[in-house]
DNA sequence: CAAATAGTGTCTCTGAGACAGTATGAG
DNA sequence: CTCATACTGTCTCAGAGACACTATTTG
């Protein structure tokens, strides 16, 4: 029985929640878009395998963002090559330089998740990606992980745009500001502020130390 | 690379959150307590393997309660026999007749989770069980799964005792009653009520159809 | 009757949503 | 100046916690 890791890698690009896809260079599903991933090495722990595949296939580092286990998928027919169980990981990353295709990928690209449905991803990757998106949506409610989509220092407006992109809703900027700045451990001010933008400069914040938001930020 | 399923099976017994353990009949860790589980068959999906192992090793059926995937564990050294990745499942069951030891188990028993720490379970099962308990605690907040610990028809007081056992807190019976009966889709009245108990008879309820509680029932 | 448990009503306080108003930058 | 965006304050309403009170049973 073979074991792989697959990665649902999400970021915000141009205000849209987007997923990292690679075009498969080899059979099966050659030429189809798929999630990055690959076989787990014999002496390697699962999170290490996920981080390694992310770098190998796309040149991206998870360090800047967040990487967590999503779920495992092991239907007997999910891979035509034989029995393959995959451990899916979910990565949330800030909008970084364009990914670089690695060894097993003909190319790598970001796709807005709203357009992925029409691609018909390889294997059961449509399902894995859908589960990853739902996990991300849920996690923004009760963790400060929205900041994983942002650069190290960010404004409250940037953070709000993350929530709006992930949830697909508009949020009131004033109420969001109050909520973000008063929920303990959500964000911490750096003292610095933006300049050269349109409108009043905004305070810059870093991600807070809380792992759970209390009270949570429930979806409208 | 071998793939197994392991089960964190929880119930409420005598007011205490309890886990189902088996005593290992074979090496490695022979004689130690462990979670029920076993190898995934070649033609078998993961949830089927979990349900099969539950029946084989303990005689319990997941039908009455709830069975969901928990997480996967694949540290290279976690099994002395070689590389074994395990997909852990979490089962929440009503308090059923005592489990019956199956093929691979010398015996099977319920242990209050507060006493499990001192047993030093086999493999990384302490960690898996701890993750399962934390998942159960979190899920009671925003799903109606507390009812998975109850018989098909139950009183609000029984449901409250589930929450108290899982969270390890006391809850106000009156506020809990209001919350349980007014949150849409949480419980539905059957029209029947208890009799022969001490005090005023209680209405019987069934589990509602909601999958998510809104607003959630946050831990105090 | 008392004791016990089920269930209702009511008050208060916190926090979310709506939205007016003020602050501070660019052009 | 105007315009745009950041931020603050205020009102109202929903829901959680505290807890008095009523209802219905057993002994």
């Amino acid at each position: 029985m073979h074991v792989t890791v697959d990665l649902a890698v999400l970021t915000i690009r141009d205000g849209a929640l987007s997923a990292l896809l690679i075009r498969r260079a080899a059979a099966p599903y050659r030429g189809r878009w798929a999630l990055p991933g690959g076989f787990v090495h014999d002496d390697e722990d699962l999170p290490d395998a996920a981080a390694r595949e992310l770098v190998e296939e796309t040149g991206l580092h998870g360090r800047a963002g967040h990487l967590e286990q999503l779920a495992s998928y092991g239907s007997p027919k999910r891979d035509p090559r034989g029995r393959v169980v995959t451990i899916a990981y979910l990565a949330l990353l800030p909008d970084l330089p364009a990914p670089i295709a690695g060894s097993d990928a003909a190319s790598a690209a970001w796709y807005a998740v709203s357009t992925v449905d029409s691609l018909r991803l390889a294997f059961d990757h449509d399902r894995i990606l859908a589960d990853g998106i739902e996990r991300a949506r849920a996690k923004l409610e009760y963790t400060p992980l929205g900041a994983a989509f942002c650069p190290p220092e960010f404004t409250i407006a940037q953070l709000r745009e993350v929530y709006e992109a992930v949830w697909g809703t508009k949020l009131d900027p004033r109420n969001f500001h109050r909520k973000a700045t008063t929920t303990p451990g959500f964000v911490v001010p750096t003292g610095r502020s933006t300049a050269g933008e349109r409108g009043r400069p905004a305070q810059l914040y870093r991600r807070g130390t809380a792992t759970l938001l209390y009270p949570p930020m429930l979806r409208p």
Side-chain angles (χ1 to χ4, degrees), chain A residues 10 66 68-73 88 90 92 128-143 145 166-167 219:
Chain A
L10 302 178
H66 172 78
E68 69 173 43
Q69 196 183 104
L70 176 59
S72 297
Y73 302 82
L90 173 65
L92 312 180
I128 297 174
L129 179 57
D131 290 349
I133 291 166
E134 183 45 39
R135 170 80 64 89
R137 286 183 174 142
K139 279 223 146 185
L140 289 210
E141 292 198 302
Y142 54 91
T143 71
L145 281 180
V166 174
W167 286 348
R219 275 176 269 192

Side-chain angles (χ1 to χ4, degrees), chain A residues 84-200:
Chain A
V84 179
V85 173
T86 194
I87 322 292
Y89 277 76
L90 173 65
L92 312 180
L93 297 180
D95 187 6
L96 294 164
I100 295 150
S103 45
D104 289 353
S107 56
W110 293 106
Y111 275 87
V113 299
S114 57
T115 68
V116 169
D117 279 352
S118 55
L119 294 178
R120 310 282 320 264
L121 301 184
F123 307 105
D124 49 3
H125 289 186
D126 278 315
R127 168 76 191 287
I128 297 174
L129 179 57
D131 290 349
I133 291 166
E134 183 45 39
R135 170 80 64 89
R137 286 183 174 142
K139 279 223 146 185
L140 289 210
E141 292 198 302
Y142 54 91
T143 71
L145 281 180
F149 286 111
C150 297
E153 300 199 352
F154 53 87
T155 66
I156 301 296
Q158 280 178 279
L159 186 59
R160 175 170 45 82
E161 285 156 15
V162 166
Y163 275 80
E164 292 178 339
V166 174
W167 286 348
T169 57
K170 283 289 168 191
L171 300 173
D172 185 289
R174 299 159 294 184
N175 290 335
F176 184 89
H177 188 281
R178 182 183 30 161
K179 177 69 180 170
T181 51
T182 62
T183 300
F186 195 178
V187 295
V188 290
T190 64
R192 275 184 290 283
S193 51
T194 58
E197 307 283 316
R198 222 161 39 164
R200 174 174 169 179

